[in-house]
Structures are given as structure tokens and as C-alpha cells.
Amino acid sequence: MKIQPPVTRPVRGSLPLFGLVWLAISLSFGMCTAGQSEIESREISMDAQWRFRCGDVSAASRGEFDDRDWQTVDVPHDWAISGPFAKDAPASREGAFLPSGVAWYRKHFSVSSDFVDKKVFIEFDGVMANSDVWINGHHLGHRPNGYVSFRYELTDYLNFDASGENVIAVRSDTAKQVASRWYTGSGIYRHVRMVVVDPVHVAYEGVYVTTPEITSTHAKVDVEVRVENRNDDKQDVKVSTTIADPDGTVVAEGNAASEVESGASRLFDVHSVIENPVLWNLKSPKLYTVITKVIVDGVTRDQVSTLFGIRRAEFRSDTGFLLNGVNVKIKGVCLHHCAGALGAAVPVSAWEHRLSRLRELGVNAVRTAHNPVAPEFLDLCDRMGVLVMDEFFDCWTIGKRREDYHHHFREWAHRDMADTLLRDRNHPSVILYSVGNEIHDTPREELAKSILKDLVAICHDIDPTRPVTQGLFRPNVSHDYDNGLADMLDVIGTNYRDLELLQAWRDQPGRKIIGTEQGHDRKIWLACRDNAQHAGQFLWVGIDYLGESWQWPVTTYNSGLLDRTLRPYARGRERQSWWSDTPMVRVFRRIAPTEETPTDPGYEGIQWKRQQVLFDDWSPRATDAHEENVEVYSNCDEVELVLNGRSLGVQASPSDASARNWSVPFSVGRLIAIGRNDGVEVARDELATAGEAARIEVRVNRSTLTPGLDEVAYVEATVTDTSGVRVPRSESEITFKVDGPGKLIAVDSASIVSHELFQASRRRAFRGRCIGIVRATDSKGVISVTASAEGLIPGVAKIDVSSE
């Protein structure tokens, strides 16, 4: 027997699935109408057609307020990313010099009288920040933290007359950019949904799946279900669970029954056994589905679908991290929640592209720095097989800037963390919780221990299956290793001071350790690679991000493995040579720090701390006779360098993971690096000297799109000569034109000092490249994207659009 996941109450973070049980649901301008179904629960997207106004409007919370002249937007929506950049922006360098402030959203909708006996909720996956929500003028609540998911009940304040109207009003406030030290975005930047349930229903995030015993022949699966009874009378409730394997075949069923008192909730435990389980792992991240039904008097009152994976994740003191009994070195990166030109409202497919690019470099894990992420990000990591360190806070009671979360920590931290734990605890990708990053409370020993004790206890209470860590900040200075604070953690995490961390392990070998944040230094990787007890590391940072810059006009923190357009830096290729199992070779030329960088297009002469000194081209400014330092990164046994058909020698793989270098007399032509294993060529990379700019070549990361907010395509435009060689110093202004059922939603380049708008149709090339990001607007047809510039032959890319 095979089943399909139910169309009602789908997994958090996924888009609503509409099926036959939906007899009447429509979303139009400002309106949503829902009808009766045989399953008494529904989840309805509320993303479409909000009315938006930037700036504070004192009367906008009232239901009767006239908002007809407001802008219409769909959410997720980050209004700050539209700019403009400004040197005097209140968000300053930490917020990328982009705007911040108060904004309002209002949505008009109707609710069928069929729902009059139901319970109706509104769920927000994230509103940045200091949000307040009203329904028909009634204030529902306030939430300072812009990263957490939350919901409010609407039932008592709704107009259930189909001819009537309801208005949700949301006020967000980033005027003080209170949330973070980096670009946060502003507004309703994650998904919104309305949930309609029977009075007897599964509680919010009320399904918890664990696999307490896993062998090669069977797996025990425990499903804990919290059921709420909002009826006036106690109810005899039966909970049934059906588990389907990754192919949809039912492999286990179970039941539990009990009375639930009026106004109360009860936990139901359902135990099942799966024979010959398929384990979730990095190469084959197989997911099971448990369908939970709440049944009263033989009628299914609620139905929830939950994905989970069967896997054993374990940290050991002597051998680091094991997944399903096999040692896995964690090769992780830290990532913020934004995505370059898209800002904080990031489509799932954009995250998929970003994670895919990182995986090419050998990355197998992500630290969610330093806050809860969108639920669909974790869904994606589950499907892709990416490990996650799920982090909650960047500060506790002592702030890192005048206005940040430390003002709210004592009142909100336990609730914010508990809500996030309940939301995230079923994801097989999540292997570790982090309760803080570089916390400044730790020098105050007793204060820090008191706070940490409570945070760890909450994690263990809500999800005892996962260990807890923290990114310790200068632990030898605050004596965290010897005053007992570090040992309150299940796994000791430390930022940057890996040698001190290893010494802390030697001082007390029973400790489990992981590097929670590191730079790109080779010696730090070797400390991790060559010590089995070291579980792994998370680099700062995986991808360049907006904000936390040094000074105007720099807008971006640019120490990523990838730049904002997802092109790998040289350090990304170096990391690939250490981390990837796929044979690779990449060649770069190294220059003196002041030789070319300050005058390169986009840098505008700025002397900033991380100047680019490695370039993936064979087109130096000087073409007369001179020596070039050529640096090659490869994981192959040997690499041969060839210039214009002449071998420059072969170098074997260094045991210390250092790069292979040649001093090469420059000559116009082609430079080729050939990687060999056992004498057989397995990889090659080629650089060529560029001629004059002649055309634009266009590549797209995917050939098909389906319409919707969560699917986009990245279109890369490259300025080349007549032979197709990139012209690295081209700064041509490239215009993107979209024909067919699609639209251009953003443009970008890797320049960290460009103040061009992201939401535009043109972008100046940086080192010969820029990108456009495209979304489908209809269910069928072909999108044609043309990239053109004055004096150059334009390039065209085609993308098929399908509703499937």
C-alpha cells in the first residue's frame, strides 16, 4: 500500500498543497475564502496581496482604515533591500547602509460561515522586527525578535459572514535595527498562513518524532502527539499514526487513546517498529512521513503530516562526530539569513542554489549564524543532506550594540528558544543546538552560568535527543574551560581559538569539542584534520553578506568562500581542494597586495582589510616580460602546469595541504593546470589572455521554472572577447530584458562598493560579470532573458515554464 502526504496541514515551511479535500479556497486581491472539507483542518497561504506602506501610520491598526492607495505586495517581502544606499542611513555599516524603520502591512480577507465552529489562527514564519499584529482593530500581540516563528488566534475577533470583511494589520519596526549586527531586512520577510482546525486538534508544533533504537534490521519510532481539546466537554480521543517510507509505502501503524478534559491538552505516545529501515545520510538523505490523525467518535478531526529521518548522530570525545556509526568530519560554514540582492526574503530555490554551490566546495554543514532560520531552509537541508547547527542567540543580557536583543532577553529568550525548538526538533539535518555566539556575559561567571543552566535545561526538556553547544568567546580570558561553564555544554564549541580548544581537550580528554567559528587559515584546518577528537569546524563565512562592513562605501562583509553572486573566491577553491572528494584543480595568479586591487573597477581605490590578491585570469595589467606567481589548488596526486603547450613541471600533493606554486615568465596565451591520479588525468583548469570585449555570454543555473514566490533562476552575464574568454576588467553596464511569462526581480555583482539598486534592470559588470534573478509569472511558456551592453553582441538564455 502506498500513500500520498495529506493535503491538509502540510509540513511547516512548504508551500500549501491544494487537493480534492479543498472544496472552495480562493485567493484574490485582498480576499481569501475557505469552504468546508471532510478533514476538519486546513492550512491556507496568506502570502498574496497585502497592502503596504513604508512609514508609521497611527490609525493603520483599525479595521476600517482606508488603505486603497497603499502599494500591493506579496510576502515574503523585504522592503529595505530596494534601497537606496545612503552614507547617513541609521542602519549604518552594520545594516549595509540600507534603509530601516517602521512599515505597515494590511490584508483584507473573508472567512466562510462554515468555519464558525472552528478555531482559526494566523502563523508568521518571521517578521523583522518588533512586530505588532491586529485583527479587525484588536491587538493580538507583540514580538521583538524578528527571526522567530509565531502565531495568534483569530477566532474570537473574526467576521464569519462571507459578505463581510476582515483585516489583518501588521506593524514592523527596524528603526533602531535592534535585531542584529548585520543586514536584517525589514517587514514580513517570511511566509504567512491561516490555519483552521477543529476544536479538538493537534497542538501547535505538537508532533515530535524520535527513533530511540536503530539497528540494521529495525528501527523503533516513537511519535509523541499533544492534542488540545477546546470543546466545552471532555472528549474521548484516538490518535492514529501511519508511517510511510521514502517511496510512499506504508511500513508501520500505531494507535493510542485517552480522554482529554475540556480546555486541556494531553500527550499521546504512539510506538511503532520499522523493519529494514533506510537511514538518512549525507549522500542519500531519505525521509519518512508520519501522518497523524486525531479521531473523535470515528471522525477524523485533524490530520498532520510530518517528515523525519532515521539516523544516529553522535559526538564522541575520542573520535569526533559520527553519523550512523561512521566518522564524519564536519566541514561547515556559517551563514546569515539573507541572500545578496534578494535581501532577507529568500526563495527556497535560491537557498537550494546557494547550498549546491557550497557543496561543490565540499561543505557538508551549516551553522545558522546567529539566529533561527526560515523553516523551509531546514526542510531543504533535510532533503539535500546538509548537517545543521541550529543557533538561537547572538547576545544574552549584555549587548553588543546599544540597541539589540539584550533589552529583551530576560523577558523573551526562553519563549523564543522554546518555540524554535518545538518547530525544529523533527529535522534530521539538525544535529546540534547552539544557545549563543560570543556571549559577553561569560566574564561574569555566576551570571553566565545561571543563564546557561536554564538554556541547556530547556533544550534538554523539549528535545533530549540533541546535544547543546555555544560559540565560546575568548574562553581562556574568561576562564570558561576551568571554571565549569564550558562543561555545562554537551559539546564544547569555541570560536577561532582551535589550538586552545584542543588543549582544553588534552587537559580533560572526556570533553567533546567542535570549532564553532573559524577563519580560513590552513593551520586551523590542519588542527582539525589531524586530530580525531576535533569534530569539525564552521568557517566565517560561507557566502559574502550585506552589512557588518568596515566603512562607507563598503556595503558587504566579504570573507566568504563565495561572493554575493555565488562565484567561488580563490579561498573557496583552496577549501575545495581540502574538503571535496571529487577530483579538482584550479589555477590563480597571485599579486602583491597593492599591485592591482586598489584600481580594479568596483574598488574605487579603497584600501580595505581583505584586498583581493588572487585572480582567476591570465590577463594582468602589465603584458611586458615579467614573472607571475601562479598558485594552484588541487586534491589530485599531481598537477602539471602548461603554458602555451610547454610544460612548466609537475608537483605532487603536499602533505601539509599547502598550495602548489610556480614562478612563470608571463606570455600571452593559455595557461593550463592538469590534475592526475595514478597518472591518469582527472581534472583540468585553463586560463587564457583576454582580448577586447566583444560579446556577452549568458548562462542560467536551471532550464525550467514553475510559477510562485519560491522558484527563481540565476542568469549570469559574462563579458568576453571573440574567443569566449572573460574580460576581467570590463565594467560594461549590462541591461537585462525579460520576455515571456517571467520577470526580473533583482540584479547584482560581486562589487562590495557598488551602490546601484538591486531592484533594477541593469548592473555594471564587476570583473567582467553580473547576474540577474528571474521569476516565472505564468504557468506555461518560455522565458527569454537578453543581456545587452553598448558595443557588445548581446547574449540570450531560455527558460521553460511549467505548472508541474
Side-chain angles (χ1 to χ4, degrees):
M1 174 184 174
K2 291 194 175 184
I3 63 170
Q4 297 295 326
V7 298
T8 56
R9 306 282 301 280
V11 177
R12 289 289 303 274
S14 62
L15 290 178
L17 305 175
F18 295 87
L20 292 179
V21 301
W22 297 81
L23 299 184
I25 295 176
S26 64
L27 291 174
S28 57
F29 178 71
M31 302 292 289
C32 81
T33 307
Q36 184 76 17
S37 81
E38 60 186 25
I39 302 295
E40 300 299 331
S41 61
R42 298 161 187 76
E43 189 168 296
I44 305 168
S45 173
M46 296 286 277
D47 288 343
Q49 304 292 301
W50 289 76
R51 298 178 185 178
F52 169 75
R53 171 67 61 85
C54 193
D56 210 353
V57 184
S58 60
S61 64
R62 300 202 313 260
E64 67 274 16
F65 178 81
D66 186 357
D67 56 16
R68 286 176 293 180
D69 63 342
W70 286 22
Q71 180 184 355
T72 300
V73 300
D74 295 336
V75 301
H77 176 248
D78 173 10
W79 63 263
I81 198 63
S82 62
F85 294 96
K87 186 176 182 180
D88 60 353
S92 71
R93 65 178 184 85
E94 293 174 314
F97 302 101
L98 283 164
S100 56
V102 175
W104 282 86
Y105 295 80
R106 289 168 54 88
K107 183 174 178 65
H108 299 247
F109 63 101
S110 65
V111 179
S112 170
S113 59
D114 291 336
F115 289 167
V116 72
D117 293 325
K118 305 299 183 283
K119 301 300 176 183
V120 184
F121 301 86
I122 185 82
E123 295 183 356
F124 295 87
D125 286 339
V127 181
M128 189 65 70
N130 284 307
S131 65
D132 287 273
V133 182
W134 291 262
I135 176 67
N136 298 332
H138 296 273
H139 186 247
L140 296 173
H142 173 77
R143 201 78 180 215
N145 193 322
Y147 297 105
V148 296
S149 301
F150 57 93
R151 82 169 179 173
Y152 299 117
E153 185 169 359
L154 307 180
T155 312
D156 292 342
Y157 309 110
L158 287 174
N159 178 359
F160 287 94
D161 185 349
S163 63
E165 185 176 74
N166 298 279
V167 179
I168 287 277
V170 179
R171 183 184 186 270
S172 65
D173 183 0
T174 54
K176 296 179 181 179
Q177 209 212 357
V178 297
S180 305
R181 298 172 290 119
W182 48 86
Y183 176 76
T184 64
S186 294
I188 306 178
Y189 72 110
R190 292 180 182 166
H191 290 293
V192 185
R193 68 192 64 81
M194 185 166 69
V195 176
V196 184
V197 295
D198 187 87
V200 182
H201 57 269
V202 175
Y204 185 48
E205 307 295 0
V207 176
Y208 178 38
V209 186
T210 58
T211 52
E213 181 179 311
I214 303 171
T215 72
S216 60
T217 60
H218 72 275
K220 292 183 178 179
V221 180
D222 291 346
V223 183
E224 179 185 280
V225 183
R226 181 169 293 278
V227 175
E228 291 184 351
N229 176 17
R230 300 282 296 278
N231 272 319
D232 293 334
D233 304 313
K234 69 178 180 182
Q235 301 286 306
D236 291 319
V237 176
K238 175 184 175 182
V239 170
S240 75
T241 60
T242 302
I243 300 175
D245 69 11
D247 295 325
T249 301
V250 173
V251 292
E253 295 178 300
N255 297 283
S258 180
E259 290 183 346
V260 183
E261 295 292 333
S262 172
S265 67
R266 179 180 289 275
L267 282 176
F268 291 74
D269 291 310
V270 184
H271 307 286
S272 303
V273 175
I274 295 176
E275 303 296 336
N276 302 313
V278 180
L279 301 188
W280 185 94
N281 59 55
L282 302 186
K283 293 184 177 179
S284 181
K286 298 296 187 179
L287 296 172
Y288 285 76
T289 304
V290 56
I291 298 172
T292 303
K293 294 183 179 181
V294 175
I295 301 168
V296 178
D297 295 331
V299 176
T300 299
R301 300 296 183 88
D302 198 6
Q303 183 166 300
V304 177
S305 173
T306 307
L307 293 174
F308 71 99
I310 301 175
R311 57 46 166 181
R312 295 187 303 273
E314 181 183 6
F315 287 85
R316 292 183 180 173
S317 175
D318 55 346
T319 56
F321 177 70
L322 288 82
L323 184 64
N324 301 324
V326 178
N327 269 113
V328 174
K329 190 70 79 172
I330 293 173
K331 302 170 181 177
V333 296
C334 304
L335 288 180
H336 279 316
H337 70 301
C338 62
L342 296 168
V346 187
V348 172
S349 63
W351 274 123
E352 184 175 16
H353 185 39
R354 291 162 71 82
L355 291 177
S356 294
R357 296 291 283 165
L358 287 168
R359 287 212 307 188
E360 290 173 12
L361 304 182
V363 172
N364 64 15
V366 167
R367 176 194 184 197
T368 65
H370 304 289
N371 43 260
V373 291
E376 63 265 26
F377 178 86
L378 297 180
D379 292 340
L380 186 63
C381 291
D382 291 344
R383 296 195 301 270
M384 294 182 68
V386 176
L387 304 173
V388 176
M389 184 173 84
D390 200 0
E391 192 158 68
F392 306 126
F393 305 117
D394 187 45
C395 65
W396 292 349
T397 66
I398 299 176
K400 297 179 179 178
R401 63 195 309 271
R402 186 172 62 185
E403 300 290 346
D404 64 14
Y405 187 71
H406 77 279
H407 293 293
H408 309 287
F409 184 85
R410 290 195 181 278
E411 179 182 358
W412 285 97
H414 289 182
R415 180 177 175 183
D416 286 344
M417 190 175 73
D419 285 353
T420 305
L421 286 162
L422 288 169
R423 189 196 71 173
D424 295 352
R425 59 186 175 171
N426 290 316
H427 291 279
S429 58
V430 175
I431 58 168
L432 192 61
Y433 294 127
S434 170
V435 295
N437 168 64
E438 297 184 357
I439 297 301
H440 289 188
D441 300 62
T442 52
R444 304 183 184 184
E445 179 183 337
E446 295 309 313
L447 170 67
K449 284 183 175 180
S450 174
I451 294 172
L452 181 58
K453 179 181 178 181
D454 288 343
L455 296 180
V456 171
I458 292 170
C459 290
H460 288 170
D461 179 58
I462 293 176
D463 181 9
T465 71
R466 290 176 175 84
V468 180
T469 190
Q470 177 184 337
L472 294 177
F473 180 58
R474 300 174 184 171
N476 277 357
V477 175
S478 52
H479 302 285
D480 299 340
Y481 294 143
D482 50 53
N483 68 13
L485 185 141
D487 293 306
M488 297 172 68
L489 300 166
D490 302 313
V491 179
I492 299 175
T494 298
N495 287 8
Y496 296 104
R497 288 163 166 76
D498 282 49
L499 300 182
E500 295 178 10
L501 180 63
L502 285 165
Q503 185 58 48
W505 179 88
R506 296 185 187 100
D507 293 340
Q508 190 172 318
R511 288 168 163 167
K512 303 170 185 178
I513 61 172
I514 189 168
T516 40
E517 186 172 318
Q518 289 79 19
H520 300 280
D521 294 346
R522 178 169 55 91
K523 66 180 181 180
I524 299 302
W525 163 238
L526 293 177
C528 178
R529 185 194 74 176
D530 298 338
N531 289 277
Q533 69 270 29
H534 198 308
Q537 59 181 205
F538 292 89
L539 301 177
W540 195 266
V541 61
I543 305 174
D544 287 359
Y545 60 91
L546 292 168
E548 208 170 357
S549 64
W550 297 107
Q551 63 183 27
W552 179 267
V554 178
T555 65
T556 302
Y557 194 99
N558 68 314
S559 68
L561 299 179
L562 306 173
D563 67 29
R564 286 199 323 249
T565 67
L566 307 184
R567 293 286 301 186
Y569 287 111
R571 58 179 166 263
R573 295 304 187 188
E574 180 180 47
R575 189 64 50 165
Q576 184 180 10
S577 73
W578 300 338
W579 282 6
S580 177
D581 296 327
T582 302
M584 59 79 60
V585 62
R586 286 293 187 275
V587 58
F588 295 85
R589 57 184 186 88
R590 178 180 285 277
I591 65 170
T594 58
E595 180 182 338
E596 295 190 19
T597 301
T599 53
D600 262 9
Y603 287 96
E604 300 177 4
I606 295 296
Q607 294 285 345
W608 45 283
K609 290 189 177 181
R610 290 177 299 279
Q611 290 185 3
Q612 186 171 352
V613 296
L614 285 153
F615 296 88
D616 58 344
D617 65 65
W618 194 238
S619 303
R621 292 183 182 277
T623 57
D624 56 353
H626 67 280
E627 294 289 314
E628 286 284 345
N629 180 356
V630 174
E631 191 155 301
V632 176
Y633 303 122
S634 179
N635 55 12
C636 298
D637 296 341
E638 62 180 31
V639 172
E640 181 180 14
L641 194 66
V642 178
L643 177 62
N644 295 328
R646 180 172 64 90
S647 176
L648 303 179
V650 176
Q651 293 190 29
S653 176
S655 60
D656 64 357
S658 59
R660 289 170 249 205
N661 289 85
W662 283 260
S663 182
V664 179
F666 177 76
S667 177
V668 171
R670 295 186 178 274
L671 182 70
I672 302 173
I674 302 170
R676 298 188 180 94
N677 288 335
D678 298 324
V680 177
E681 180 180 332
V682 290
R684 78 164 47 203
D685 190 31
E686 179 177 320
L687 304 180
T689 309
E692 295 296 319
R695 58 166 54 96
I696 299 175
E697 292 190 356
V698 177
R699 292 187 299 175
V700 63
N701 75 310
R702 54 189 301 168
S703 58
T704 61
L705 277 177
T706 58
L709 294 171
D710 271 321
E711 283 214 8
V712 294
Y714 281 67
V715 181
E716 183 179 71
T718 304
V719 179
T720 73
D721 63 12
T722 55
S723 298
V725 177
R726 177 174 57 89
V727 182
R729 268 170 290 280
S730 172
E731 54 179 333
S732 296
E733 185 176 69
I734 296 176
T735 298
F736 292 89
K737 182 176 181 292
V738 177
D739 295 304
K743 65 178 180 180
L744 184 71
I745 63 171
V747 293
D748 199 2
S749 72
S751 171
I752 67 170
V753 297
S754 172
H755 300 139
E756 300 165 281
L757 297 178
F758 292 124
Q759 295 178 4
S761 61
R762 59 190 63 196
R763 187 79 176 190
R764 190 170 297 279
F766 176 69
R767 295 202 58 78
R769 299 186 184 95
C770 65
I771 64 167
I773 302 175
V774 175
R775 174 178 285 141
T777 57
D778 204 345
S779 59
K780 61 181 179 179
V782 177
I783 299 172
S784 177
V785 184
T786 303
S788 61
E790 184 176 356
L792 303 179
I793 299 171
V796 180
K798 304 286 187 180
I799 306 169
D800 292 326
V801 177
S802 171
S803 60
E804 298 181 359

